[in-house]
């Protein structure tokens, strides 16, 4: 089986990348983090989004999707905080009662 020049070159490239993996990955990171490259990527993204908007297709918002509006989420957070406060106060009260019971039984045993 004979390999074409292009496939031989591709194999040689892959072999070099495997042998110099750390250098290759660092080189990729350095090139991708250049300010002019990032600016170009942002420009291309903005252009793509603008084209979609012109076609009437609203692209999804970037970032983590929100399930609730701000007011609803804040109210849920406050409710959870209130429930936690009630539980922690009740647990504290119970532990104090148990301590008092334990100290009263041990002190009554000592007096016998």
């Amino acid at each position: 089986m004979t390999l074409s020049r292009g496939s031989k070159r591709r194999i040689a490239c892959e072999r070099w990348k495997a042998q110099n993996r750390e250098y290759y990955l660092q080189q990729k990171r350095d090139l991708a983090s250049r300010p002019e490259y990032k600016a170009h990527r942002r420009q291309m993204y903005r252009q793509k989004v603008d084209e979609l908007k012109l076609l009437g297709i609203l692209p999804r918002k970037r970032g983590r999707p929100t399930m609730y509006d701000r007011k609803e989420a804040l109210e849920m957070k406050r409710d959870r905080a209130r429930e936690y406060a009630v539980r922690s106060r009740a647990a504290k009260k119970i532990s104090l009662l148990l301590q008092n019971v334990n100290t009263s039984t041990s002190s009554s045993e000592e007096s016998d």
Side-chain angles (χ1 to χ4, degrees), residues 51-108:
E51 287 173 3
L52 288 174
K53 284 181 180 177
L54 285 175
L55 294 173
I57 303 170
L58 294 177
R60 290 184 299 170
K61 290 183 179 178
R62 296 175 73 184
R64 187 173 179 171
T66 55
M67 293 176 62
Y68 308 101
D69 66 358
R70 263 180 211 261
K71 289 182 180 179
E72 188 179 1
L74 184 62
E75 191 58 39
M76 290 168 57
K77 186 176 178 181
R78 287 179 177 158
D79 288 342
R80 283 195 302 270
R82 281 187 208 108
E83 291 167 5
Y84 172 76
V86 168
R87 282 195 316 270
S88 62
R89 281 191 214 111
K92 198 173 194 178
K93 208 180 254 187
I94 290 171
S95 68
L96 286 174
L97 287 173
L98 289 175
Q99 281 179 348
N100 288 339
V101 169
N102 287 340
T103 55
S104 66
T105 55
S106 63
S107 63
S108 65

Side-chain angles (χ1 to χ4, degrees), residues 15-31:
R15 190 180 321 123
W16 183 89
K17 284 197 302 190
Q19 290 170 349
N20 302 288
R21 183 168 175 74
E22 289 304 316
Y23 172 77
Y24 166 71
L25 291 176
Q26 186 59 45
Q27 192 179 35
K28 273 179 49 172
R29 279 188 223 105
D30 292 344
L31 290 173

